[in-house]
Amino acid sequence: MKLSNKFTLIRVLFAPIFFLLYFIPIWTGKFAAISLIIAIPLLAFAEFTDYLDGHYARKHNEVSDFGKMFDPFADVILHLTSFICFVKSYNPELSYMPLAVLMLIFIREFSQNFLRMVSAKKGVAIAARKGGKFKTVMYVVAEFYAVFLELLVRTGNTPDFFGGLKTASLVLFIICVICSYASFIDYLVHFGKILKE
């Protein structure tokens, strides 16, 4: 396997690890803080591999149609997994991401995946466009903001204005939805003719 694809694979493999680290304390009532203290730097590295795979693909001339599809696939696996986590909190009264928002993002990502599959069958590999990259940046920002809030909850350091911080999290996720659909429309404009054919 090419080095660039190995970095991409890290994101796929880390997704279930993050899921377990996030939920084990919710299921067991133990390891509340330490689980996220371990998960956050691992999540940061997993997200950093999104830069590393592109860097080494260009540096070693490893850019391929497979890589163009594997990279966004890994992004989706990692981000949807983390978003599922943020529907729940160690505090059963809290949630950072409403199910309706999560569902809208799921629909967008699977629709995008369908477009990629149809395009691949036609011999066209859809690489990430600027709108898609900006959407990914917003996903990462919202992701780390939510996990930071959850860390505050699990360490018992929630400030008096935590409600405002939680509202900001909701705003970030709504921005994610807007960016995701804006970028999807952009993909449809540029590659929709493949669907028509």
Side-chain angles (χ1 to χ4, degrees):
M1 181 181 286
K2 297 175 180 179
L3 179 60
S4 56
N5 291 333
K6 288 180 180 178
F7 281 121
T8 305
L9 182 61
I10 288 174
R11 297 201 293 289
V12 176
L13 297 178
F14 177 70
I17 295 174
F18 180 79
F19 182 86
L20 289 174
L21 287 171
Y22 190 93
F23 272 102
I24 283 176
I26 295 175
W27 295 331
T28 66
K30 300 177 181 179
F31 316 113
I34 191 65
S35 63
L36 283 190
I37 290 172
I38 293 171
I40 289 173
L42 291 177
L43 179 62
F45 177 71
E47 292 292 2
F48 185 56
T49 63
D50 194 17
Y51 162 77
L52 293 176
D53 59 19
H55 171 75
Y56 283 101
R58 291 184 294 271
K59 181 178 180 180
H60 297 161
N61 196 26
E62 296 176 352
V63 177
S64 64
D65 288 344
F66 174 79
K68 290 177 182 178
M69 296 184 66
F70 191 35
D71 176 63
F73 169 77
D75 288 343
V76 168
I77 291 293
L78 179 58
H79 294 143
L80 290 185
T81 299
S82 66
F83 288 172
I84 289 171
C85 292
F86 301 140
V87 172
K88 298 282 288 182
S89 169
Y90 188 69
N91 181 340
E93 297 180 359
L94 289 178
S95 172
Y96 307 104
M97 185 173 214
L99 277 174
V101 174
L102 177 63
M103 195 63 201
L104 286 171
I105 289 179
F106 257 85
I107 291 170
R108 184 274 182 197
E109 295 300 341
F110 279 99
S111 298
Q112 177 70 19
N113 187 53
F114 176 74
L115 178 59
R116 289 185 189 279
M117 287 190 299
V118 172
S119 298
K121 190 173 182 180
K122 293 289 186 178
V124 178
I126 298 180
R129 293 178 56 80
K130 288 184 178 180
K133 291 179 179 178
F134 181 74
K135 178 267 300 182
T136 299
V137 169
M138 289 308 304
Y139 278 13
V140 173
V141 170
E143 175 185 68
F144 276 97
Y145 185 77
V147 82
F148 168 70
L149 295 186
E150 180 66 5
L151 183 61
L152 292 179
V153 170
R154 296 190 184 195
T155 56
N157 292 316
T158 53
D160 294 336
F161 52 89
F162 185 78
L165 296 177
K166 184 174 171 295
T167 300
S169 177
L170 173 60
V171 171
L172 281 174
F173 282 125
I174 290 174
I175 292 173
C176 286
V177 171
I178 294 170
C179 291
S180 69
Y181 278 87
S183 68
F184 183 58
I185 291 171
D186 177 57
Y187 281 108
L188 285 177
V189 168
H190 286 84
F191 300 100
K193 62 182 180 181
I194 296 174
L195 292 176
K196 292 179 180 179
E197 293 173 0

